[in-house]
Amino acid sequence: MKNQKIARLIALATAATMMLAPATAFATEATDTAGASGSIEGEGQLEGYVNKDAFRVVLPTVTDVDFTLDPQGLLNKSDSTKYALGAGAVYFTNAATVSGNSATYSAKSDEIKFLNKSSYDVDVELSVTLDTGDIALVANSAVATVSSPSLNLQLIPVGTDGTEGTAVDITDTAYTVPTPATVAKVAEVDGSTVTKGYTISSSNAPVEGAVKSPNGYYYTYSLTDDFTDADAKGVGYKLTGSCDTKTDWSKIDKTSVSATIAWTIAKSGAPSISGTAYSRAKTNNTYTVKNATQNISSISISADGKTPALAVPAAAYTLSDDKATLTIDGTKAGVGSGAVGQVRYFIVTFADNTTVSFSVKVAN
């Protein structure tokens, strides 16, 4: 009797265990001598794709490049501490480095600096447009021998570490640095040699610009939190110059010189367009095009380089067969007389939807 109760308890316990245990698929044995066949189906899905092309640059904080020509050294006679240069000086206004202090004056402008925090190399193209009035623009080597009021201005390239290169004469009132500066990208974190830079991150919570993956994650490609501007590569430029000391400056207007510095930054190897002069009366304003492989589908005029304001008629521009020269007819393009003396931008869209903008100084 006792054994029967024990047996019943064991049977009940076994039944309970089987009810609680998860269902298990047991292997099936095939015994047919003719063989066996079958199939198994499954579905694969892409977890997602992260675009690793990130464009991120730090633009110059310099707001102006004001300068004063002093052919007779008058400022130095007035305050030799504040204006330490002599006759023939060009004084540039330098912003105070300490909050609350006054600006200072020196032979060089503040650095016009660009930092590349993109995931690819970028090309920085810089142009300087000058209006010197009755003052001649000459090479540095010619300042001492001129016969009429003359000015020399130069660009000094500056490396990431602040090292200054050799000053180069600005040889034309519409001058573009001949070779764009290529600034290296920010590398991707590899866990060993690169510890700060771009990396793929995931989140369970929604992230702006990211799409939810099939498994519920949001992926982004961004810089690590500890990456700072000091870790980025860059390039900069400073202006410097001088004026002649022997000619008669008495008839020169005190406000006769102006300078506009413009730049374009684009992915290295991407299409770019350079040139700064534009005349409303000229039928063949020409600009240098680089790395273009497509025809132009449209051009628009903009005041800020971002927002198209007016479409340029197709009959007003042509792209050469080798896609190296863009010609714009100033009599047809539509730039109004109100823009004379100001900077305007042309936004060029190619057939593959690549967009390039460049700036011009508008003249009659």
Side-chain angles (χ1 to χ4, degrees):
M1 185 68 175
K2 184 178 180 180
N3 290 338
Q4 290 178 346
K5 289 182 178 180
I6 293 173
R8 282 197 296 272
L9 289 171
I10 292 173
L12 289 171
T14 302
T17 301
M18 293 178 66
M19 291 175 66
L20 294 172
T24 303
F26 294 97
T28 301
E29 292 186 2
T31 58
D32 191 336
T33 57
S37 64
S39 64
I40 299 174
E41 295 183 0
E43 294 183 353
Q45 59 186 2
L46 178 65
E47 174 62 7
Y49 180 80
V50 178
N51 183 4
K52 291 188 175 183
D53 275 357
F55 179 70
R56 188 173 177 179
V57 295
V58 179
L59 299 177
T61 56
V62 174
T63 57
D64 61 60
V65 285
D66 291 343
F67 55 92
T68 301
L69 282 61
D70 191 6
Q72 293 182 306
L74 301 178
L75 288 171
N76 180 256
K77 297 179 186 299
S78 301
D79 189 336
S80 60
T81 301
K82 191 174 183 179
Y83 303 99
L85 307 176
V90 174
Y91 288 98
F92 290 88
T93 304
N94 302 129
T97 56
V98 178
S99 179
N101 286 7
S102 300
T104 58
Y105 303 90
S106 74
K108 299 175 183 177
S109 72
D110 288 333
E111 183 181 355
I112 304 162
K113 189 173 185 177
F114 307 87
L115 293 177
N116 183 23
K117 298 170 70 173
S118 307
S119 61
Y120 47 74
D121 295 354
V122 299
D123 289 338
V124 178
E125 190 165 272
L126 191 87
S127 62
V128 181
T129 303
L130 299 171
D131 182 354
T132 59
D134 295 327
I135 303 172
L137 184 67
V138 300
N140 182 56
S141 59
V143 172
T145 58
V146 295
S147 56
S148 62
S150 300
L151 166 69
N152 168 255
L153 285 176
Q154 296 180 310
L155 273 177
I156 304 172
V158 184
T160 300
D161 61 356
T163 302
E164 296 182 0
T166 302
V168 178
D169 286 330
I170 296 175
T171 55
D172 193 273
T173 54
Y175 177 80
T176 298
V177 176
T179 304
T182 299
V183 187
K185 66 181 180 180
V186 176
E188 187 173 277
V189 172
D190 60 13
S192 56
T193 58
V194 180
T195 58
K196 293 190 290 184
Y198 277 95
T199 185
I200 294 178
S201 302
S202 66
S203 172
N204 291 316
V207 178
E208 183 179 356
V211 178
K212 187 177 182 179
S213 78
N215 288 297
Y217 296 103
Y218 296 85
Y219 296 99
T220 57
Y221 193 63
S222 56
L223 292 170
T224 52
D225 292 339
D226 58 352
F227 190 94
T228 67
D229 288 357
D231 299 310
K233 300 296 184 182
V235 66
Y237 295 93
K238 292 181 180 180
L239 280 174
T240 189
S242 61
C243 57
D244 82 88
T245 61
K246 297 179 180 179
T247 63
D248 182 4
W249 287 74
S250 63
K251 297 180 181 181
I252 298 297
D253 188 337
K254 292 184 176 62
T255 58
S256 59
V257 181
S258 65
T260 301
I261 297 176
W263 58 81
T264 58
I265 305 175
K267 185 176 183 178
S268 186
S272 65
I273 302 175
S274 60
T276 57
Y278 178 85
S279 169
R280 295 176 64 249
K282 193 174 181 179
T283 60
N284 60 338
N285 297 286
T286 57
Y287 307 95
T288 300
V289 183
K290 296 179 181 178
N291 302 320
T293 60
Q294 304 286 321
N295 288 321
I296 294 174
S297 60
S298 67
I299 298 179
S300 58
I301 303 167
S302 170
D304 60 6
K306 300 176 183 178
T307 308
L310 179 68
V312 176
Y317 62 85
T318 57
L319 181 64
S320 61
D321 291 341
D322 60 0
K323 297 179 176 57
T325 304
L326 169 64
T327 302
I328 298 179
D329 185 342
T331 66
K332 299 178 180 179
V335 179
S337 58
V340 173
Q342 300 181 28
V343 173
R344 289 292 183 267
Y345 296 82
F346 285 109
I347 300 177
V348 180
T349 302
F350 290 92
D352 61 356
N353 290 323
T354 299
T355 299
V356 176
S357 68
F358 67 100
S359 63
V360 297
K361 184 72 172 289
V362 180
N364 272 318

